[in-house]
Amino acid sequence: TDLTWLDLGYNQIKEIPDSIGNLTNLTKLNLEHNPDLILTEAQKEWIRELKRKGRKVLINDDLLDIDDDDVPF
């Protein structure tokens, strides 16, 4: 897909489909402020990989079980 920016912040979502990992051209992803959001391990790893690639990811890091210092934004 050509989608480069996905903003799902402040939407009170509880889950996202596994197919989100098919969004290979994302440069920005916002999942902040969705307190009931539960991510699968595969989704967490996909988001970590986005961060490792230097993509802009806005997420409450407690969802990923990581520390801000572990992976650069």
Side-chain angles (χ1 to χ4, degrees):
T1 179
D2 293 329
L3 186 67
T4 60
W5 187 18
L6 181 60
D7 186 350
L8 297 173
Y10 295 93
N11 280 294
Q12 299 184 15
I13 57 175
K14 295 180 181 181
E15 60 185 48
I16 53 177
D18 286 334
S19 59
I20 194 168
N22 295 332
L23 301 176
T24 57
N25 291 320
L26 276 187
T27 58
K28 297 178 187 175
L29 173 64
N30 182 4
L31 294 171
E32 282 189 311
H33 303 287
N34 288 295
D36 298 324
L37 179 60
I38 297 173
L39 299 172
T40 66
E41 286 304 315
Q43 291 168 340
K44 290 177 186 181
E45 183 53 38
W46 175 74
I47 291 168
R48 287 186 198 105
E49 184 63 23
L50 286 178
K51 290 181 124 187
R52 280 192 286 274
K53 290 179 177 178
R55 310 284 171 80
K56 177 102 175 156
V57 178
L58 302 172
I59 189 169
N60 300 70
D61 282 331
D62 60 321
L63 289 173
L64 297 178
D65 307 319
I66 63 170
D67 197 330
D68 277 344
D69 297 330
D70 290 344
V71 182
F73 285 70

